[in-house]
Amino acid sequence: MHILDDLAQRDLIQQTTDDDGLRKHLEENVVTLYCGFDPTADSLHIGHLLPVLMLKRFQKAGHRPIALIGGGTGMIGDPSGRSTERSLNSADVVKGYSDSIKNQLAHILHFDDSKNGAVARNNHEWLSSLTIIDFLRDVGKHFSINYMLAKDSVESRLENGISFTEFTYMILQSYDFMNLYEKENCTLQIGGSDQWGNITAGMELIRRTRSEKSEAEAEVFGLTVPLITKSDGTKFGKTAGGAVWLDPVKTTPYEFYQFWINTDDRDVIRFIKYFTFLEMEEINALEKELESAPEKRVAHRRLAEEMTKLVHGEDALQQAEKITEALFSGDLKSLNAAEIEQGFKDVPSTVVEEKNIALVDLLVNAGISPSKRQAREDIKNGAVYINGERNTEINYQMQETDRVEDKFTIIRRGKKKYYLIRYN
């Protein structure tokens, strides 16, 4: 199947600059394409996943992707999709962010020396050596103010104001496309739909510079993917705890798995089309299963499995599933210390110095029960669980066997209130 047909049936194409021309170009060539990622944090989040996976889809179809890390443009700030100006980071911070993002991209894309092996580039390499005079004479002259003001990324900011710094972002991104076209024969830029103006500006710059040199018109193309919205009106990629990061330290594989498995029924099939590489035949079967037996959540589990394995690997997926099953069944003794750290990251925790403390004292000291009297009643009534097992001994003394790897004890009071005890 043609890559564009596959993207179309997954509803992954928002706009193309020339659908017929691009289709023919992809049929006749191993096409080099790129997408840019500005290092605004030390990790990508799942809002970046769609364009990253688009690069991977083209790579699987035999084309050569370039992951462009915006070490230069990241010091300027993209006004697209924002109502206020970004705060500027120092060069050292941006470099650190750039290195982290490159490592994350390498985990998803195949960086190698094969014909269609992905490569990472950093636009700091060419933007940092570009003088202001060269920039104005050789690049800026090709952009009229009227042309730039008409672009959505600029027009949407005029009411609240836009600095000259961010105003020039479009030109810098256009220069990236021209540079990659000239040095790497990159003929296709992809991005979110908010990047349409920047992409078409880059194509125009390439054509103008070639015309200036009396060269034949370049065959260059642009393609955008839809910006993701959720059916319940909330922002995609956000939870009560903040962004869902690709970095397993910032968002654990268990949290990552939970994000996907808790997808709204109205979104799950759409997200499977967007983010997974499952064949449409299987996706259609999952859709029928969802319609006939939504309570089984088969599609949700499949989405969570595919995404966790893709981003964090098979071992992390198995760990996330093990934690999920343990929490569902209450069999917490099966978890090791690392799994407890993941699964109980956000529950109240207390550091305890005395390991063989009386259970009543532990409940009070950790703020689990408000008083010793209440603690005794909780224990007597069977409301207290140690590592998933009910304990009804009022005079119980905590044992070494209650500590997982001598680091943690999980106390549950009632049906759902968990507390994590940490030991020094």
Side-chain angles (χ1 to χ4, degrees), residues 334-345:
S334 65
L335 301 179
N336 60 35
E339 291 160 349
I340 289 173
E341 192 88 66
Q342 279 198 57
F344 295 86
K345 179 181 176 183

Side-chain angles (χ1 to χ4, degrees), residues 241-277:
V244 180
W245 302 95
L246 304 193
D247 184 337
V249 174
K250 296 167 79 74
T251 297
T252 67
Y254 167 73
E255 292 172 312
F256 192 81
Y257 180 89
Q258 288 299 310
F259 171 82
W260 295 105
I261 206 168
N262 288 317
T263 297
D264 191 302
D265 288 0
R266 295 169 292 178
D267 295 324
V268 65
I269 297 301
R270 181 162 58 100
F271 288 177
I272 289 175
K273 289 179 182 179
Y274 280 1
F275 293 104
T276 78
F277 290 84

Side-chain angles (χ1 to χ4, degrees), residues 15 17 34-38 68 73-74 76-82 86 123 135 139 142-144 147-157 162 164-180 187-207 220-224 227:
Q15 295 166 296
T17 52
Y34 95 94
C35 184
F37 306 92
D38 276 353
L68 180 65
T73 46
I76 300 301
D78 184 0
S80 303
R82 291 181 62 90
R86 298 178 188 272
N123 63 18
F135 175 70
V139 186
H142 293 293
F143 292 83
S144 73
Y147 176 83
M148 295 177 70
L149 289 175
K151 297 295 183 180
D152 288 342
S153 60
V154 174
E155 185 181 23
S156 62
R157 289 285 299 279
I162 183 172
F164 176 74
T165 299
E166 285 197 340
F167 186 63
T168 61
Y169 185 92
M170 178 195 306
I171 306 178
L172 293 175
Q173 185 169 326
S174 299
Y175 186 77
D176 287 342
F177 198 177
M178 184 181 74
N179 187 78
L180 291 173
T187 55
L188 171 62
Q189 183 183 172
I190 66 171
S193 59
D194 60 337
Q195 295 297 311
W196 180 254
N198 293 334
I199 292 172
T200 54
M203 294 170 57
E204 184 65 20
L205 177 62
I206 293 170
R207 290 178 177 136
V220 287
F221 304 90
L223 183 152
T224 61
L227 294 181

Side-chain angles (χ1 to χ4, degrees), residues 80-98:
S80 303
R82 291 181 62 90
S83 58
T84 58
E85 189 154 346
R86 298 178 188 272
S87 54
L88 300 181
N89 293 311
S90 68
D92 288 343
V93 168
V94 172
K95 184 182 184 307
Y97 289 174
S98 299

Side-chain angles (χ1 to χ4, degrees), residues 358-370 375 378-379 384 411:
L359 177 58
V360 168
D361 292 333
L362 175 63
L363 294 177
V364 174
N365 294 349
I368 300 170
S369 297
D378 290 338
I379 296 170
V384 175
I411 302 291

